[in-house]
Amino acid sequence: IDRAYDAGGGTVYIPKGRYYIRSSLKIRSGVHIQGAGVEACSLQSIMADNVPAFVADTTAKVEHWSIKDLLIEKTVMKATAGTPPQAGIDFEPNRDDEELVNCVMRNCVSENNTGCGYVFYLPNLTGKSAPLSVRFEDCVARGSNHSALAFITGNEHADGPLTGTADGKPLTYHVKRGD
């Protein structure tokens, strides 16, 4: 990811296989992540509590990124706070040519986050954007201060509204005691 960024951007292709994340992956501007396919390419976090699996580059605004054909599984996103939206994971395309296509989250847990468990902030995607395709399979959100799942879409665009699907097997949500 860093080499692609240093070269001015590009696509990082993740070949078939299961990859264990031992430290946070820094998402960088201009870098697109392309997996070999949802059932062929899996990223799995094996980090300690409070270490995020994916982080945005904090030295600059992360712009022009995409995620395509990727499985994120058995990843715990825990106790996030700090930079809004303070979610367990936040997908936030900045331009209409960025993609969130064929992305699956399987057996993931988002817990005790200051914000929502899973956030999709999509107002910058339009009718000319690639159709969104996101799937949750047996994911859990618990103990967060806000909703388990948030989809924020945009205003009216000259190119029409964002198209696509977000679906999946149950997303289980456990509220904090007293909520």
Side-chain angles (χ1 to χ4, degrees):
I1 293 173
D2 288 338
R3 279 192 297 208
Y5 175 76
D6 291 343
T11 299
V12 175
Y13 179 75
I14 304 173
K16 181 178 180 179
R18 181 177 304 267
Y19 300 92
Y20 298 96
I21 302 169
R22 294 185 189 327
S23 62
S24 298
L25 292 179
K26 185 183 287 188
I27 306 302
R28 309 287 299 264
S29 292
V31 176
H32 305 273
I33 299 173
Q34 168 80 50
V38 170
E39 295 306 323
C41 180
S42 167
L43 299 181
Q44 182 176 335
S45 173
I46 55 171
M47 297 180 295
D49 289 352
N50 302 326
V51 178
F54 303 91
V55 297
D57 180 356
T58 57
T59 62
K61 184 177 179 182
V62 177
E63 295 181 331
H64 198 52
W65 61 269
S66 294
I67 297 177
K68 187 174 181 180
D69 298 325
L70 190 64
L71 170 64
I72 301 169
E73 70 177 332
K74 297 179 184 172
T75 297
V76 176
M77 297 148 291
K78 185 174 184 177
T80 58
T83 304
Q86 304 171 329
I89 190 164
D90 171 37
F91 295 97
E92 192 170 334
N94 294 299
R95 298 173 13 169
D96 63 4
D97 62 342
E98 296 174 352
E99 297 179 84
L100 188 51
V101 175
N102 200 21
C103 182
V104 175
M105 297 195 72
R106 181 180 294 153
N107 298 316
C108 292
V109 176
S110 179
E111 65 184 353
N112 300 326
N113 297 296
T114 301
C116 298
Y118 303 87
V119 172
F120 292 82
Y121 186 79
L122 310 171
N124 297 315
L125 298 182
T126 69
K128 76 176 190 179
S129 302
L132 174 80
S133 55
V134 177
R135 182 167 176 81
F136 290 93
E137 297 178 359
D138 301 313
C139 292
V140 174
R142 61 178 165 241
S144 295
N145 289 328
H146 296 284
S147 62
L149 175 66
F151 270 87
I152 299 97
T153 58
N155 300 318
E156 291 184 30
H157 294 279
D159 297 317
L162 167 66
T163 62
T165 60
D167 65 355
K169 295 180 182 177
L171 174 65
T172 306
Y173 181 55
H174 303 274
V175 297
K176 284 184 173 180
R177 196 166 200 52
D179 285 357

